[in-house]
Amino acid sequence: MNIYRGNIVYSKSPNELVELKRGYVVVKDGIIFGVYAILPHRYANFKVTDFGEDVIIPAFSDLHVHAPQYPNRGIAMDLLLNDWLHTYTFPLEAKYKDPKFAKEVYYPFVRDLVKNGTLHACIYGTIHNDATNVLMQALERKGICSFVGKVNMDKDSPDYLIEETNESIEETEKFIKKNSKNIFAKPLLTPRFAPTCSFDLLKKLGKLSAKYDIGVQTHIVESKWEAEEAKKCFEGCRCDMQIYKDAGLLDHAPFIAAHYIYPCQEDLDLLKECNGVAVQCPDSTLNVIAGIMSTGKLLDMGIRVGFGSDLSAGSYIGIYTQIASSVRLSKLKNLYEPDNRQITFAEAFYIATKGGGSLWEKVGSLEQGYFFDALVLHGLQDKFTNLSPKELVERFCYLGTSKNIAHIYLRGKEL
Amino acid sequence: MNIYRGNIVYSKSPNELVELKRGYVVVKDGIIFGVYAILPHRYANFKVTDFGEDVIIPAFSDLHVHAPQYPNRGIAMDLLLNDWLHTYTFPLEAKYKDPKFAKEVYYPFVRDLVKNGTLHACIYGTIHNDATNVLMQALERKGICSFVGKVNMDKDSPDYLIEETNESIEETEKFIKKNSKNIFAKPLLTPRFAPTCSFDLLKKLGKLSAKYDIGVQTHIVESKWEAEEAKKCFEGCRCDMQIYKDAGLLDHAPFIAAHYIYPCQEDLDLLKECNGVAVQCPDSTLNVIAGIMSTGKLLDMGIRVGFGSDLSAGSYIGIYTQIASSVRLSKLKNLYEPDNRQITFAEAFYIATKGGGSLWEKVGSLEQGYFFDALVLHGLQDKFTNLSPKELVERFCYLGTSKNIAHIYLRGKEL
């Protein structure tokens, strides 16, 4: 039994951001027993770890990140998607043919992810099986709940980064089998996006999805170009999501739709029907994609929403920065497309924690029964003002760095 | 004579970002003698301070920052301007009636400004003379080239933060006289913005401008509301800039126009005519203003442009972060208003250094004859890639913090 005292902030729902001043969290075997303003008598004889004014919050979930692109974070950010992909991103991804290079990058990447408070993640590897297995190992050893994909792409990609369809499928099946006994890092099908996949490839992935009861992550309507291109690539195609439905890729959860900026009504219906998650990557869409998700509308429609760092189209590995970006972008969306409402800080915090965390069991909140996957935030108060716990968390999301994360707990164990 | 070696990056013009790998900067009496790829023979016997792969860049200029709002940085960011002003900002500004509170805030504010590489700034105080004199002292002692204003507001403001017109003028004149012998921190007229100023106040400020040959900073067409409100407040007024012209406030340089998001043609003509500076505050306009400056258009028209942190509507004190934000916003502006082009990283870096620095003499570049007001950037390379000096600077602007600024030189002296 472990008892922690401090300021406490967590989401119950998009509109309910709970705040306790100097409250208590009681944890047993890594699971939260309860959160209390006053410690119940029955715990009077237990030792209390007191964090003072520091704030205990749930850890973050990153639902869209390209681990191999980690070395390119924060460069070439004035390009747009196509130039950025072909000049910087694809050449870097090609290097992962060498598993040694993968090892050099993926271990520091996982360390940085954790240091920034992300304890659950959906991650893209590259087309390379060996390299992506290295990523799996790094995550599995650290105990990070994650979905990871070996990427599939069999058309309209550079020669040095394209697969033959059947080989792509064979490698994917090998990848699934190799990682089938992992406890934390689970395999996920990862067709890059519709324009780089043949229908044959998608249908064969659909069969793997059924055979292994395994879900899918991909980029959906990430740009106007992509939304149109998807329709052109597939005969009789009405929308991006329909391709995945027709290929049998919406039948086995989870379905993780990155960006999801320009969905039509059918895209929306299909995502809701399969209980998929729309992943906003606010910083990334500002940098190379140029578009803003209708976050408020999706929340109001009851569609699940999470955040992604989308390294290295996004610059920041910390999901807390996406909270700030998402609030900002909702204001601009409202300015230019007034039928889209702004979102609140509470909603954005919910998306970053409980929303994204909903991909796993009991993750992303500090409610009873949840895993104690938590962060302790430090050094955000100053002497001029007396910020409330919620305000301290907001300041962290706007101004904080990993240095403000003083303690990290994963299933109750401090890392 | 001081000689520094390292990677060197600086702007000559918006499109010319100079990069020297392991070059030399020769400095005498705080002034740059020359920048060289190979050190000329005549300097062979001088000691060289070698920064290795670290990058030497010019220091930044912040052309719009509200020092009194420093305590509120990073909170209440999901509000819009009016709520944010009345719930958070005005009540905080009222506290500066007490010069002791001012002292508590302004010294750490100036330290934080410098720590983040801003060595030149245009700063708003509050309506309070004593408090604003404290700010002047803090800047003068540190040797920061700055323009600072006691704010004027005599209408449509909260009771606790409004001045009687004549008293406002008298206090302003006292403020100018008190600071007339300052070497670094110069007084500037600072009517808050048109909707909170009577025309009588503006005209009387116009007389002070003529009497003391002193310029003006204010908020210009910062929102659609403000652009319209300005016209309503002043009889026969066609546009925001015209009010200042009619009051005689465009006749004595500098004229510093913060935000400048919705200028009409006459606003543009008048700003160009008085050689004024348009100040983009990208983060601030994302947070509480909601609008995007036509940065590329203004550059193309030959209008001077600088950046402002606009604390605490803007969250970040570092102007380097505004470089990243400005590039991002130019992409969204282009998406929603396609006749606005994107800007490049080189242009944004120019704005943050030489553009903003143009308010002072020979500040904002590393060209011959410029003051050696410079920063040395450290810790941005990693082992995965071999980033060029320009890429290191770009990464700093996207991912860096004050911790990456290893050395700061002000007129040749290390701080």
Side-chain angles (χ1 to χ4, degrees):
Chain A
M1 184 82 74
N2 289 294
I3 303 175
Y4 304 97
R5 186 168 193 200
N7 287 318
I8 296 167
V9 173
Y10 62 95
S11 294
K12 278 191 175 172
S13 71
N15 297 314
E16 260 181 302
L17 185 61
V18 178
E19 161 184 75
L20 274 91
K21 272 203 168 193
R22 302 274 298 123
Y24 299 84
V25 189
V26 176
V27 177
K28 197 183 168 191
D29 299 330
I31 309 278
I32 295 165
F33 246 51
V35 170
Y36 309 96
I38 297 164
L39 193 66
H41 262 298
R42 62 185 179 279
Y43 301 123
N45 293 326
F46 287 91
K47 196 186 140 232
V48 174
T49 304
D50 193 337
F51 294 120
E53 297 294 326
D54 291 355
V55 194
I56 306 169
I57 63 169
F60 299 111
S61 297
D62 185 344
L63 300 201
H64 184 65
V65 53
H66 292 265
Q69 296 172 20
Y70 180 64
N72 275 354
R73 68 204 179 284
I75 60 166
M77 295 278 80
D78 61 357
L79 301 183
L80 278 181
L81 188 60
N82 202 44
D83 286 344
W84 173 84
L85 272 173
H86 288 271
T87 317
Y88 285 82
T89 308
F90 286 151
L92 174 61
E93 289 201 10
K95 288 191 180 182
Y96 291 81
K97 197 176 171 182
D98 175 10
K100 270 187 222 147
F101 183 74
K103 201 164 177 181
E104 271 182 43
V105 174
Y106 286 154
Y107 278 81
F109 161 75
V110 172
R111 272 200 298 275
D112 205 6
L113 204 64
V114 170
K115 207 175 78 176
N116 280 279
T118 296
L119 299 187
H120 331 97
C122 300
I123 311 178
Y124 286 49
T126 54
I127 58 169
H128 313 95
N129 229 340
D130 291 348
T132 311
N133 283 326
V134 170
L135 177 57
M136 280 297 211
Q137 274 167 24
L139 291 159
E140 185 71 12
R141 280 188 195 169
K142 201 85 184 175
I144 302 302
C145 286
S146 44
F147 290 108
V148 179
K150 169 224 155 337
V151 169
N152 306 96
M153 47 208 285
D154 71 344
K155 66 184 267 284
D156 287 338
S157 302
D159 291 345
Y160 56 82
L161 208 67
I162 198 165
E163 303 173 296
E164 190 275 314
T165 308
N166 287 331
E167 195 194 336
S168 181
I169 294 297
E170 281 160 28
E171 289 293 303
T172 304
E173 187 155 16
K174 269 194 225 165
F175 177 73
I176 295 168
K177 284 182 177 168
K178 165 104 183 161
N179 294 290
S180 64
K181 290 184 181 152
N182 291 3
I183 298 169
F184 305 110
K186 304 282 186 185
L188 205 63
L189 299 174
T190 308
R192 190 170 201 119
F193 69 157
T196 62
C197 298
S198 68
F199 195 49
D200 188 28
L201 176 67
L202 293 180
K203 278 189 297 187
K204 284 173 174 160
L205 287 174
K207 283 185 186 156
L208 290 183
S209 173
K211 183 170 174 189
Y212 294 98
D213 185 18
I214 189 173
V216 177
Q217 61 184 346
T218 188
H219 301 80
I220 298 283
V221 289
E222 71 172 24
S223 64
K224 285 178 187 167
W225 173 82
E226 199 267 335
E228 287 311 306
E229 191 68 14
K231 288 188 223 171
K232 274 188 219 158
C233 291
F234 301 89
E235 215 185 298
C237 172
R238 292 180 307 277
C239 69
D240 209 356
M241 286 293 294
Q242 184 218 332
I243 303 160
Y244 295 90
K245 182 177 171 62
D246 290 354
L249 286 167
L250 301 189
D251 302 335
H252 299 265
F255 187 83
I256 301 161
H259 301 310
Y260 212 70
I261 297 176
Y262 301 102
C264 65
Q265 189 56 49
E266 189 172 353
D267 285 316
L268 291 167
D269 294 342
L270 287 172
L271 189 64
K272 195 157 182 190
E273 199 178 296
C274 73
N275 197 26
V277 185
V279 185
Q280 188 185 21
C281 308
D283 183 48
S284 157
T285 60
L286 263 172
N287 282 339
V288 306
I289 309 284
I292 305 175
M293 182 194 263
S294 303
T295 319
K297 267 191 193 172
L298 296 183
L299 286 176
D300 296 341
M301 291 170 73
I303 285 178
R304 293 161 78 194
V305 184
F307 286 140
S309 67
D310 195 17
L311 293 180
S312 65
S315 317
Y316 308 118
I317 199 165
I319 286 297
Y320 46 95
T321 68
Q322 308 299 336
I323 294 174
S325 283
S326 182
V327 170
R328 289 179 177 126
L329 286 188
S330 76
K331 291 184 176 180
L332 274 186
K333 184 91 174 171
N334 174 255
L335 179 78
Y336 283 110
E337 303 177 46
D339 63 323
N340 283 270
R341 69 172 177 85
Q342 298 167 36
I343 65 165
T344 62
F345 172 73
E347 287 175 313
F349 188 81
Y350 168 86
I351 293 171
T353 54
K354 199 170 176 181
S358 69
L359 266 183
W360 294 272
E361 289 283 310
K362 296 290 180 188
V363 143
S365 184
L366 299 180
E367 292 163 282
Q368 195 176 26
Y370 275 66
F371 282 106
F372 191 58
D373 287 2
L375 315 174
V376 181
L377 306 180
H378 175 76
L380 296 155
Q381 196 62 271
D382 59 38
K383 64 176 181 177
F384 317 125
T385 45
N386 186 19
L387 301 187
S388 71
K390 280 183 195 175
E391 286 172 332
L392 289 171
V393 176
E394 188 183 2
R395 177 172 280 178
F396 170 67
C397 295
Y398 279 80
L399 294 172
T401 71
S402 61
K403 305 261 187 275
N404 295 106
I405 304 178
H407 304 275
I408 300 172
Y409 291 89
L410 179 59
R411 294 181 290 279
K413 291 226 167 69
E414 185 164 5
L415 295 183
Chain B
M1 186 81 74
N2 289 293
I3 303 176
Y4 304 97
R5 186 170 194 198
N7 287 318
I8 296 168
V9 174
Y10 62 95
S11 294
K12 278 190 175 172
S13 71
N15 297 314
E16 261 180 299
L17 185 61
V18 178
E19 161 182 76
L20 274 91
K21 274 204 167 188
R22 304 272 299 126
Y24 299 84
V25 190
V26 176
V27 178
K28 198 183 167 193
D29 300 330
I31 309 279
I32 295 164
F33 247 49
V35 170
Y36 309 96
I38 297 164
L39 192 66
H41 263 296
R42 61 185 179 280
Y43 301 122
N45 292 325
F46 288 91
K47 196 188 140 231
V48 174
T49 304
D50 193 336
F51 295 120
E53 297 293 326
D54 291 355
V55 194
I56 306 169
I57 62 168
F60 299 111
S61 297
D62 184 344
L63 301 201
H64 184 65
V65 53
H66 292 265
Q69 296 172 19
Y70 180 64
N72 275 355
R73 67 204 180 284
I75 60 166
M77 295 278 80
D78 61 358
L79 300 183
L80 278 181
L81 188 59
N82 201 45
D83 285 345
W84 173 85
L85 272 174
H86 288 271
T87 316
Y88 284 82
T89 308
F90 286 151
L92 174 60
E93 289 201 10
K95 288 191 180 181
Y96 291 80
K97 197 176 171 184
D98 176 9
K100 271 186 222 148
F101 183 72
K103 202 165 175 179
E104 270 181 43
V105 175
Y106 286 153
Y107 279 81
F109 162 74
V110 172
R111 273 200 298 276
D112 204 6
L113 204 65
V114 170
K115 207 174 78 175
N116 280 279
T118 297
L119 298 186
H120 331 96
C122 300
I123 311 179
Y124 286 48
T126 54
I127 58 167
H128 313 94
N129 229 339
D130 291 348
T132 312
N133 282 327
V134 169
L135 177 57
M136 281 297 210
Q137 275 168 23
L139 292 158
E140 186 71 12
R141 281 189 194 166
K142 200 88 183 174
I144 302 303
C145 286
S146 44
F147 290 108
V148 179
K150 169 221 154 335
V151 169
N152 306 97
M153 47 207 286
D154 71 343
K155 65 185 267 284
D156 287 338
S157 303
D159 291 344
Y160 56 84
L161 209 66
I162 198 166
E163 302 173 296
E164 190 276 314
T165 309
N166 286 331
E167 194 194 337
S168 181
I169 294 297
E170 281 160 29
E171 289 292 302
T172 304
E173 188 156 13
K174 269 194 226 165
F175 176 73
I176 295 168
K177 283 182 177 170
K178 166 105 181 161
N179 294 289
S180 64
K181 291 185 182 149
N182 291 3
I183 298 169
F184 305 110
K186 305 282 188 185
L188 205 63
L189 299 174
T190 307
R192 190 170 200 120
F193 70 156
T196 62
C197 299
S198 68
F199 194 49
D200 188 28
L201 176 68
L202 294 179
K203 277 190 297 186
K204 284 174 175 161
L205 288 174
K207 284 186 185 157
L208 290 182
S209 173
K211 183 170 174 187
Y212 294 97
D213 186 18
I214 189 174
V216 176
Q217 61 184 345
T218 189
H219 302 80
I220 297 283
V221 291
E222 72 172 25
S223 64
K224 285 178 187 165
W225 173 82
E226 198 268 335
E228 287 311 305
E229 191 67 13
K231 288 188 224 170
K232 275 189 219 157
C233 292
F234 301 88
E235 215 186 298
C237 170
R238 293 180 306 276
C239 69
D240 210 356
M241 286 293 293
Q242 185 219 333
I243 303 160
Y244 295 90
K245 182 176 170 62
D246 290 355
L249 286 165
L250 301 188
D251 301 335
H252 299 266
F255 186 83
I256 300 161
H259 300 311
Y260 212 71
I261 296 175
Y262 300 102
C264 65
Q265 190 55 48
E266 190 172 353
D267 285 316
L268 292 167
D269 294 341
L270 286 172
L271 189 66
K272 196 157 182 191
E273 200 177 295
C274 74
N275 197 26
V277 185
V279 185
Q280 189 185 21
C281 307
D283 183 48
S284 157
T285 60
L286 263 172
N287 283 338
V288 305
I289 309 284
I292 305 175
M293 181 195 263
S294 304
T295 319
K297 269 192 190 172
L298 295 183
L299 287 175
D300 296 341
M301 292 171 74
I303 285 179
R304 295 161 77 195
V305 184
F307 286 140
S309 67
D310 196 17
L311 293 180
S312 65
S315 317
Y316 308 118
I317 200 165
I319 286 297
Y320 47 94
T321 67
Q322 307 300 334
I323 294 174
S325 283
S326 183
V327 170
R328 290 177 177 130
L329 286 189
S330 75
K331 291 184 175 180
L332 274 186
K333 183 91 175 173
N334 175 257
L335 179 78
Y336 282 111
E337 302 176 47
D339 63 324
N340 283 271
R341 68 173 179 83
Q342 298 167 35
I343 66 165
T344 62
F345 172 72
E347 287 175 313
F349 188 79
Y350 168 86
I351 292 172
T353 53
K354 198 170 176 181
S358 69
L359 267 184
W360 294 272
E361 290 282 311
K362 296 292 181 187
V363 142
S365 183
L366 298 178
E367 291 161 282
Q368 195 177 25
Y370 275 67
F371 282 105
F372 190 59
D373 288 2
L375 314 174
V376 181
L377 306 180
H378 175 76
L380 296 153
Q381 196 63 271
D382 59 38
K383 62 177 183 178
F384 317 126
T385 45
N386 187 20
L387 301 188
S388 71
K390 279 183 196 175
E391 287 173 331
L392 290 172
V393 176
E394 188 183 3
R395 177 172 282 178
F396 169 67
C397 295
Y398 279 80
L399 295 172
T401 70
S402 62
K403 305 261 186 276
N404 295 107
I405 305 178
H407 303 277
I408 300 172
Y409 291 90
L410 178 60
R411 293 181 291 280
K413 292 224 168 70
E414 184 164 6
L415 295 182

